[in-house]
Amino acid sequence: MSTVDAISIDRWKAGVGHLSVPGCWNDLQLAASQLAAKSIRLAEMDRKWFESQAELFTCFEPVPWYPELGFVLKFPEQLAGKALSRHLGFASGRYYLQDASSMLPLALLSKSESLTSAVRGKVICDLCASPGGKASAILEAIGSSGDGFLVANEVIRSRVTPLCHNLARTGCDRYVVTNRDPDDLAIQAAGCFDVVIVDVPCSGQGLIAGGRHNDSALDRDSIQHCAARGSRILGAASRLLRPGGTMIYSTCTFARDENEDQVERMIREQGMAFEEQASLLSWLSVIDDKPRGYRVWPHIDDCHGGFAAKLTKMAEMPTDNTSRPKRVFRSKEFSPPKELWLDSCQSKKSHRWHETSKSLHAIPSDAPEWVLDMSAIWPMVATRRGKIWHPHHEYALMQRDVSDQRRSIDLSDDEAVAFLAGEAIRKDSRDSKGYSVASWRGRPLGWVKVVDRLLKNHLPSYSRISNAWA
């Protein structure tokens, strides 16, 4: 389906720059005027569930560069118009809607192993994280491994709230969210990270088909402005890395100035080394006989298109980390509220708690000490109205497996559909009163408050889904 008027081939050639484009320019011109096929990304623990959903599974084929967990919708007619964003599997966090091109960085991070193995024990920063496609995949893997920690940074304040929500959907609380300029973050946390993910703001040529960018993305002034901004962010990313650490760099544009040329500069100026990956040779981009990244194209790979590269920090760069003052965590000794809904809450000893006048937050006690120095948003547990604590929606989503918890109520398909629409539900419950997690097939959806046989709906409006289906 065409979404934008076709842009002339000469305009495309000028915007992409001196680069050999696979296939023919006419095919790129046509593909860039049409929406790419939809795709989804699973958590590793949900692959078997997905295979059991015949109505869904048979509509998809694996994403070639991320075949274990990425799937592209090849037969949309089989869904009969039903939206993937309204399926109960999406509502319960079993899959994330994500363009296949943005799974290329995840494939680079995974190498030949699972993403869970690749992130185990690693401290990772996603420097430009919102809306959270790559960050949530990494956090799911950290949750599966039970080790590691994520700092998800987003510069634009208005994009922080959806990022927090998408991270909470993973069920893992081993993260904080920051709202910092990359240069400022690099001063405070220089040399602290094993891995830095950098999906820089770019000219966005791959988003023209979706109508999120117009043909100004092909203007040389726009491309050069984005390249200069990207160069600054990449410099900060390099300072955040420890020596020997890994940088995954990506964009959703085709311009060589913003892709291979940036990689070349990082190698030349920042002491970085390019790392090839045998499983991705089909998408390797070679400039002047040197590998400088990996590309997917809309007319070849059935996606919006994008670029990614994996770099290793070889030389030790000077940092401010050693001179940064270490302060003692000043949060007062705190006992979690005794409300019944906190029965399944993490123990006091396993978590650090932070209380404000209106909210309660917690992170695992083994989080890096320097995280406590940062101005960061911790996972939300509860909010207080008057003297009473009430559980926050994010905390319900973090109860990843509620099948064996006392205070959870599993809903049928029809009940889950009604719950997501915001309705109260009449149901016999073993809980006489108070808050419980409403779940679907063992996965949390949100809070209900049990009053006699009525489950009062406490799902926030931003998480409600009308006409959901299973």
Side-chain angles (χ1 to χ4, degrees):
M1 180 179 67
S2 178
T3 60
V4 296
D5 294 334
I7 299 168
S8 73
I9 291 175
D10 286 343
R11 191 100 161 84
W12 273 108
K13 288 181 177 180
V16 172
H18 300 292
L19 193 71
S20 176
V21 174
C24 69
W25 284 97
N26 286 334
D27 291 340
L28 174 60
Q29 179 193 40
L30 177 61
S33 68
Q34 299 175 337
L35 286 175
K38 291 182 171 62
S39 52
I40 63 172
R41 175 193 44 79
L42 305 174
E44 287 181 38
M45 63 186 297
D46 291 315
R47 174 67 189 254
K48 290 184 178 179
W49 169 85
F50 183 56
E51 292 173 348
S52 72
Q53 305 297 302
E55 186 177 4
L56 274 180
F57 185 67
T58 57
C59 300
F60 288 84
E61 291 183 359
V63 173
W65 49 93
Y66 202 55
E68 293 300 315
L69 300 176
F71 295 86
V72 61
L73 182 61
K74 288 291 189 179
F75 308 104
E77 66 280 359
Q78 294 183 24
L79 295 179
K82 291 181 283 190
L84 293 170
S85 60
R86 298 182 185 276
H87 192 276
L88 293 181
F90 173 77
S92 59
R94 292 187 180 272
Y95 63 81
Y96 190 97
L97 298 173
Q98 185 171 3
D99 186 68
S101 60
S102 66
M103 300 180 204
L104 188 57
L106 299 175
L108 281 171
L109 181 58
S110 303
K111 297 195 294 188
S112 58
E113 55 190 349
S114 70
L115 189 58
T116 295
S117 298
V119 305
R120 182 173 286 114
K122 301 290 178 60
V123 180
I124 300 173
C125 175
D126 189 339
L127 194 52
C128 309
S130 193
K134 288 174 282 295
S136 60
I138 291 166
L139 192 58
E140 286 168 349
I142 289 174
S144 296
S145 74
D147 194 12
F149 198 80
L150 173 70
V151 175
N153 184 68
E154 174 52 47
V155 176
I156 302 173
R157 181 67 190 178
S158 62
R159 291 166 59 88
V160 169
T161 297
L163 173 62
C164 290
H165 177 65
N166 283 325
L167 294 180
R169 289 180 76 236
T170 68
C172 177
D173 62 359
R174 302 187 67 83
Y175 72 94
V176 295
V177 173
T178 55
N179 176 218
R180 306 286 294 277
D181 181 86
D183 283 327
D184 293 339
L185 190 63
I187 292 172
Q188 188 171 25
C192 287
F193 294 96
D194 301 299
V195 178
V196 177
I197 311 295
V198 199
D199 186 26
V200 300
C202 64
S203 56
Q205 295 167 359
L207 303 178
I208 291 176
R212 292 167 60 186
H213 280 285
N214 56 34
D215 64 354
S216 65
L218 300 171
D219 291 344
R220 296 307 303 170
D221 287 347
S222 174
I223 292 167
Q224 290 169 4
H225 169 76
C226 290
R229 177 176 55 190
S231 180
R232 179 181 72 85
I233 294 172
L234 285 168
S238 177
R239 297 193 297 276
L240 287 164
L241 272 178
R242 63 165 178 80
T246 297
M247 180 189 297
I248 306 292
Y249 171 56
S250 62
T251 74
C252 57
T253 200
F254 310 127
R256 173 176 162 175
D257 306 55
E258 299 179 68
N259 294 323
E260 291 89 352
D261 289 354
Q262 295 279 44
V263 171
E264 178 64 33
R265 187 192 61 78
M266 293 294 288
I267 293 170
R268 186 177 62 251
E269 299 177 9
Q270 297 289 334
M272 308 293 285
F274 182 82
E275 186 172 331
E276 288 192 53
Q277 191 154 314
S279 62
L280 297 176
L281 287 179
S282 296
W283 300 278
L284 184 65
S285 177
V286 178
I287 302 293
D288 298 329
D289 297 323
K290 295 179 289 187
R292 287 297 179 258
Y294 299 87
R295 284 180 173 268
V296 288
W297 295 90
H299 61 301
I300 301 292
D301 300 302
D302 205 8
C303 62
H304 288 310
F307 172 89
K310 185 175 187 177
L311 299 163
T312 301
K313 183 175 180 178
M314 302 300 292
E316 184 158 6
M317 308 295 287
T319 74
D320 298 323
N321 197 39
T322 55
S323 61
R324 183 165 52 88
K326 304 289 185 182
R327 70 170 176 81
V328 176
F329 186 54
R330 301 184 184 279
S331 181
K332 66 180 182 179
E333 192 70 14
F334 177 74
S335 295
K338 294 181 172 58
E339 278 81 357
L340 287 177
W341 55 266
L342 210 52
D343 285 353
S344 62
C345 190
Q346 306 100 324
S347 72
K348 178 183 175 183
K349 291 183 179 179
S350 66
H351 280 70
R352 298 179 187 269
W353 298 82
H354 177 60
E355 179 189 11
T356 71
S357 61
K358 294 183 179 180
S359 61
L360 175 64
H361 308 256
I363 57 172
S365 57
D366 62 351
E369 286 293 324
W370 51 263
V371 168
L372 305 177
D373 294 343
M374 305 176 75
S375 175
I377 302 169
W378 294 14
M380 179 81 81
V381 174
T383 56
R384 182 160 51 191
R385 296 194 292 273
K387 296 182 178 181
I388 305 299
W389 287 103
H390 299 272
H392 193 272
H393 180 60
E394 284 185 15
Y395 183 66
L397 301 182
M398 289 179 196
Q399 312 305 305
R400 173 49 81 209
D401 186 357
V402 297
S403 58
D404 61 351
Q405 294 185 7
R406 183 172 68 83
R407 299 196 64 81
S408 66
I409 301 173
D410 209 50
L411 305 180
S412 68
D413 290 357
D414 289 343
E415 288 168 340
V417 168
F419 174 77
L420 290 171
E423 300 175 16
I425 299 167
R426 291 203 169 272
K427 185 179 180 71
D428 289 327
S429 171
R430 60 184 178 276
D431 296 310
S432 59
K433 62 179 181 179
Y435 286 103
S436 290
V437 176
S439 61
W440 176 72
R441 302 185 187 179
R443 297 292 285 272
L445 297 175
W447 293 103
V448 292
K449 193 169 187 180
V450 182
V451 180
D452 297 326
R453 296 178 58 194
L454 183 67
L455 308 184
K456 291 189 174 181
N457 195 314
H458 282 255
L459 189 68
S461 58
Y462 60 79
S463 288
R464 294 181 181 178
I465 299 175
S466 59
N467 302 315
W469 60 287

